[in-house]
C-alpha cells in the first residue's frame, strides 16, 4: 500500500469515527439513545408568538420524556432566517432543534439573497401543527366583516395598514393572499415579530392583522380586538361565533399556516429518525393535542416523507403568491 492510499484510508476512518460519534452522542436508554445533556429548541421569532407557545409546550414534554432539560431560545430577525441560519450551522449532533414556519420553509422566495439555503441546510422532521389565521381589526376600524373591510379599503386606498411578523412570515403571506383575492389595496407594515405588531394594533397605530389564533385569542375574548373571519373551511372551536372567510363571502380565501420541528441537515439519519419519532409521540398525546386545540391549532405529527412532501406543496403555493404580488424583502 502506498503512502497516498494509506493517507486516504486514514482520513476515511477519521470521518467515519466522527459521524459515528455524532450519531451516538445521546445516552443509551435500551432502545435508540436519548440525549445525554441539555437540548435547545430555537424559536426564530420573538417570545409570545404562536411558534414560541408551541416550542415551550414541546420543550416541557420532551424534557420529561428524555430526562434532560430542554430549553427554548428566541433568535428573531430577518423574517426568522437569523434563527434558521443559526440552526443550520450547529454541530451535527441533534442537540439543537427549531420550530419553523411558512416563512422559513416555504416563503423564503421573498429574499433574493440569503446567507444559506433553507431547503438544503434545514431538515423538517415533522409538521408540528396547522392552524387557520384570524383576520383581526382594531376596535376603532369601522368594519364588522370582510365585505365591509374590502369595501372600505377600496374606497379609501392606502388608509388601512396591516402588520406582520416580518416580510415572508405566515402573518404577512396571509395578508398578501387576501390582497390578491380581494383586490383591496391595504398596506403592509413589517415588524420584528408578531408581538411588536400586535402592540401597535392594540394601540391603534395599525388597523389590521392576519394573525395566528394563540397570539390574539385573549384580546378577542377581552374585547380589545375585533375578529372579522378565520381563514378556514370550518369555524374555529376556540372562536365559534367568528365566521369563516367563505361564509364571509371569500370562498377561495382558505389557507392555514403551520409549524415544523426541524434540525440541521447535517444531523445523521439515525438521530433524525429518533427525534422525529419522539416528537411525534409527544404531539400525539391527548394532553398535547388538547393544548394545541385550546390555542386554535390542530396537531399534525406526520412522518418524515410526508412532512417533506407537505412542505414542497406549500412552497409551490406560496411561491405563486410571492410572484403574483411581486413581493421582495429589502
Amino acid at each position: 500500500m502506498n503512502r497516498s492510499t494509506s493517507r486516504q484510508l486514514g482520513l476515511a476512518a477519521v470521518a467515519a469515527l466522527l459521524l459515528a460519534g455524532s450519531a451516538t452522542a445521546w445516552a443509551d436508554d435500551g432502545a435508540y439513545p436519548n440525549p445525554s445533556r441539555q437540548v435547545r429548541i430555537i424559536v426564530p421569532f420573538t417570545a409570545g408568538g404562536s411558534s414560541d407557545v408551541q416550542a415551550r409546550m414541546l420543550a416541557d414534554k420532551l424534557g420529561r420524556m428524555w430526562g434532560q432539560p430542554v430549553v427554548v431560545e428566541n433568535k428573531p430577525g430577518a423574517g426568522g432566517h437569523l434563527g434558521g441560519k443559526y440552526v443550520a450551522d450547529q454541530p451535527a449532533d441533534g442537540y439543537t432543534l427549531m420550530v419553523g414556519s411558512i416563512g422559513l420553509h416555504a416563503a423564503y422566495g421573498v429574499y433574493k439573497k440569503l446567507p444559506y439555503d433553507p431547503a438544503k441546510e434545514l431538515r423538517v422532521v415533522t409538521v408540528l401543527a396547522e392552524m387557520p389565521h384570524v383576520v383581526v381589526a382594531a376596535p376603532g376600524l369601522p368594519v364588522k366583516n370582510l365585505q365591509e373591510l374590502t369595501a372600505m379599503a377600496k374606497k379609501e386606498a392606502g388608509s388601512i395598514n396591516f402588520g406582520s411578523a416580518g416580510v415572508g412570515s405566515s402573518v404577512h403571506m396571509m395578508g398578501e393572499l387576501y390582497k390578491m383575492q380581494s383586490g383591496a389595496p391595504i398596506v403592509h407594515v413589517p415588524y420584528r415579530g408578531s408581538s411588536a405588531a400586535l402592540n401597535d394594533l392594540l394601540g391603534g397605530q395599525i388597523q389590521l392583522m392576519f394573525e395566528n389564533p394563540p397570539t390574539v385569542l385573549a384580546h378577542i375574548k377581552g374585547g380589545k380586538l375585533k375578529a372579522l373571519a378565520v381563514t378556514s373551511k370550518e369555524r374555529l372551536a376556540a372562536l365559534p361565533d367568528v365566521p369563516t372567510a367563505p361564509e364571509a363571502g371569500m370562498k377561495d380565501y382558505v389557507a392555514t399556516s403551520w409549524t415544523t420541528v426541524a434540525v440541521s441537515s447535517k444531523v445523521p439519519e439515525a438521530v433524525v429518525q429518533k427525534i422525529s419519532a419522539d416528537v411525534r409521540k409527544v404531539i400525539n398525546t391527548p394532553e398535547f393535542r388538547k393544548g394545541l386545540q385550546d390555542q386554535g391549532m390542530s396537531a399534525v405529527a406526520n412522518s418524515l416523507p410526508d412532512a417533506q412532501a407537505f412542505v414542497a406543496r406549500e412552497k409551490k403555493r406560496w411561491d405563486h403568491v410571492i410572484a403574483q404580488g411581486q413581493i421582495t424583502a429589502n
Side-chain angles (χ1 to χ4, degrees):
M1 182 183 300
N2 62 38
R3 181 176 299 177
S4 176
T5 302
S6 178
R7 181 174 181 274
Q8 289 174 350
L9 289 173
L11 289 172
V14 169
L17 285 170
L18 287 173
L19 181 60
S22 63
T24 58
W26 297 19
D28 193 355
D29 69 347
Y32 194 78
N34 275 341
S36 58
R37 54 182 170 83
Q38 177 180 284
V39 175
R40 296 181 301 160
I41 300 179
I42 303 301
V43 176
F45 304 104
T46 51
S50 173
S51 296
D52 186 66
V53 170
Q54 294 170 68
R56 294 181 191 279
M57 289 172 59
L58 185 63
D60 176 60
K61 303 302 182 188
L62 284 176
R64 295 182 195 182
M65 174 185 285
W66 287 338
Q68 295 292 340
V70 180
V71 299
V72 175
E73 295 182 14
N74 298 88
K75 293 187 179 294
H81 289 289
L82 285 181
K85 176 70 163 62
Y86 177 83
V87 172
D89 289 344
Q90 292 308 292
D93 55 17
Y95 281 89
T96 305
L97 315 181
M98 180 182 74
V99 171
S101 66
I102 285 176
L104 268 292
H105 302 296
Y108 56 86
V110 298
Y111 293 90
K112 298 308 176 187
K113 291 184 179 179
L114 281 174
Y116 77 121
D117 185 339
K120 293 180 179 178
E121 297 182 50
L122 295 173
R123 185 171 182 190
V124 174
V125 302
T126 191
V127 177
L128 197 166
E130 194 173 14
M131 73 207 86
H133 281 226
V134 187
V135 185
V136 286
L141 191 68
V143 300
K144 299 186 295 293
N145 52 52
L146 285 186
Q147 290 177 326
E148 291 183 4
L149 173 66
T150 301
M152 180 180 176
K154 288 180 177 180
K155 183 178 180 181
E156 304 175 28
S159 65
I160 298 176
N161 298 324
F162 78 97
S164 80
V167 177
S169 66
S170 62
V171 183
H172 175 207
M173 300 312 294
M174 294 293 172
E176 293 292 344
L177 186 62
Y178 164 76
K179 283 178 64 175
M180 189 174 77
Q181 293 188 356
S182 68
I186 57 176
V187 180
H188 177 226
V189 181
Y191 288 80
R192 188 181 170 89
S194 280
S195 297
L198 182 60
N199 286 338
D200 274 6
L201 180 64
L202 292 167
Q205 283 79 31
I206 57 175
Q207 294 75 44
L208 199 64
M209 283 186 74
F210 299 79
E211 186 52 89
N212 296 307
T215 311
V216 293
L217 280 176
H219 298 297
I220 294 168
K221 292 178 179 179
K224 294 181 179 180
L225 294 175
K226 294 190 292 188
L228 306 182
V230 293
T231 64
S232 53
K233 291 180 179 179
E234 297 179 356
R235 293 197 179 194
L236 199 60
L239 294 171
D241 297 327
V242 178
T244 66
E247 287 175 332
M250 291 187 67
K251 65 182 181 65
D252 295 325
Y253 188 39
V254 176
T256 59
S257 71
W258 36 270
T259 49
T260 67
V261 177
V263 295
S264 167
S265 60
K266 301 189 299 286
V267 175
E269 182 66 21
V271 176
V272 170
Q273 293 283 352
K274 167 67 173 176
I275 294 170
S276 178
D278 284 356
V279 167
R280 284 184 286 131
K281 283 179 188 175
V282 167
I283 297 170
N284 282 323
T285 60
E287 182 183 1
F288 197 92
R289 295 177 76 91
K290 173 79 164 53
L292 290 175
Q293 185 177 13
D294 289 345
Q295 296 289 330
M297 299 177 278
S298 300
V300 179
N302 50 8
S303 66
L304 277 162
D306 288 346
Q308 296 294 327
F310 175 86
V311 170
R313 290 194 302 271
E314 285 287 288
K315 185 172 189 311
K316 185 175 180 180
R317 176 186 194 180
W318 293 111
D319 276 347
H320 174 68
V321 174
I322 291 166
Q324 288 289 105
Q326 298 181 333
I327 306 164
T328 59
N330 295 329

